[in-house]
Amino acid sequence: MNSSEPFLTDPIPVKVYDEANEERILTLIFSAPMDGHINLVIIGAVTKAIVDRLNSDLAAGVGTGYLNIMNEKNQQEPQSIFIKEFFYQDYEFAFKEVVEFGMGLGMAIYRQKFLRQKISQVIANDAIDWGLNEKEAFVKAKEKDYTETPGVVFWEKKTDTTWVIPGEAVKFWSNILVNESDKGCSLAKELYQAVHSSDKQATKKLSSAIESLLLHGE
């Protein structure tokens, strides 16, 4: 993840499919907090159906990332956490690589305090504890104090408390922006090829080019 402004994450290329099951290559990146919002930016050619499903898959992935951390903790200390409810239990994803990106993001939010700090800036819910005094922490709220739809409900042995992972910590972006320019589409495809060929130098160069395109149109 990227801790520098003006982006919250590095550009991540993903493969998706349109309504005709034709392959499309996109790049996803999150803005840093801007005017009280975090934006999900999609670079590449999309349809409304792709955007809608990508949005859902990404949230499901983030929620699953939190669940993965809980499973890791239960492996280290059996029965330290009991999952009471997982909102995405029966969710059927469309775009595997989008879900995988979301999973990595959910796990990174637990492990990286700066991500929790940034996201907390755009969420107005006093019931949520963002764990800003800890290096690693769940974003959580006591079940009895949280009135919205959660991502996960879990009991924690250490505190003998039932917590929720708030929906605001799962889908934390408010807006979706799309860049479908010819240059954006080309860069998205090139970045996908660079990442999957493990070309670190090309990946870095193309990532910088995508960020420059979004910031300066060049």
Side-chain angles (χ1 to χ4, degrees):
M1 298 300 165
N2 183 2
S3 60
S4 62
E5 299 287 0
F7 298 105
L8 194 63
T9 65
D10 296 324
I12 301 296
V14 296
K15 181 188 297 183
V16 302
Y17 297 89
D18 63 18
E19 296 90 317
N21 205 34
E22 294 292 327
E23 177 185 295
R24 300 198 186 197
I25 301 299
L26 310 174
T27 290
L28 310 180
I29 189 171
F30 285 98
S31 75
M34 300 171 56
D35 301 321
H37 300 282
I38 290 174
N39 301 315
L40 167 61
V41 186
I42 302 172
I43 301 97
V46 295
T47 64
K48 183 180 183 302
I50 287 175
V51 172
D52 289 346
R53 196 57 195 271
L54 185 154
N55 192 39
S56 298
D57 278 5
L58 192 54
V62 175
T64 303
Y66 286 118
L67 189 68
N68 287 349
I69 292 288
M70 293 178 188
N71 289 334
E72 284 183 10
K73 287 189 167 294
N74 271 336
Q75 289 180 351
Q76 296 164 3
E77 183 185 344
Q79 300 181 340
S80 60
I81 290 175
F82 175 73
I83 310 301
K84 299 181 70 173
E85 182 180 1
F86 177 50
F87 183 78
Y88 297 97
Q89 180 70 41
D90 298 317
Y91 181 82
E92 296 183 3
F93 65 82
F95 307 138
K96 178 175 180 285
E97 293 181 5
V98 174
V99 173
E100 289 173 345
F101 171 43
M103 289 168 59
L105 186 55
M107 296 173 77
I109 292 170
Y110 172 84
R111 291 179 171 139
Q112 299 184 25
K113 182 167 65 174
F114 91 85
L115 281 176
R116 300 195 298 276
Q117 289 174 327
K118 295 292 186 181
I119 297 171
S120 70
Q121 294 174 15
V122 301
I123 305 297
N125 188 329
D126 293 338
I128 299 175
D129 176 3
W130 288 90
L132 301 184
N133 295 320
E134 304 170 68
K135 181 178 179 181
E136 296 186 344
F138 288 117
V139 179
K140 60 188 181 182
K142 291 183 179 179
E143 183 184 35
K144 63 182 180 62
D145 296 333
Y146 187 73
T147 59
E148 307 299 324
T149 302
V152 187
V153 181
F154 67 101
W155 173 81
E156 184 180 48
K157 181 179 180 180
K158 179 176 66 176
T159 59
D160 191 20
T161 302
T162 297
W163 303 94
V164 303
I165 301 293
E168 295 96 324
V170 174
K171 187 183 176 299
F172 53 84
W173 55 99
S174 304
N175 305 313
I176 298 177
L177 308 178
V178 179
N179 183 305
E180 294 185 287
S181 66
D182 290 343
K183 185 170 184 179
C185 292
S186 177
L187 287 171
K189 292 175 183 177
E190 290 179 49
L191 180 61
Y192 190 89
Q193 293 173 350
V195 168
H196 285 269
S197 62
S198 300
D199 188 335
K200 293 183 180 179
Q201 184 174 357
T203 295
K204 184 176 180 179
K205 182 178 179 180
L206 290 163
S207 295
S208 295
I210 287 171
E211 292 182 0
S212 181
L213 174 68
L214 297 178
L215 292 173
H216 310 296
E218 59 184 33

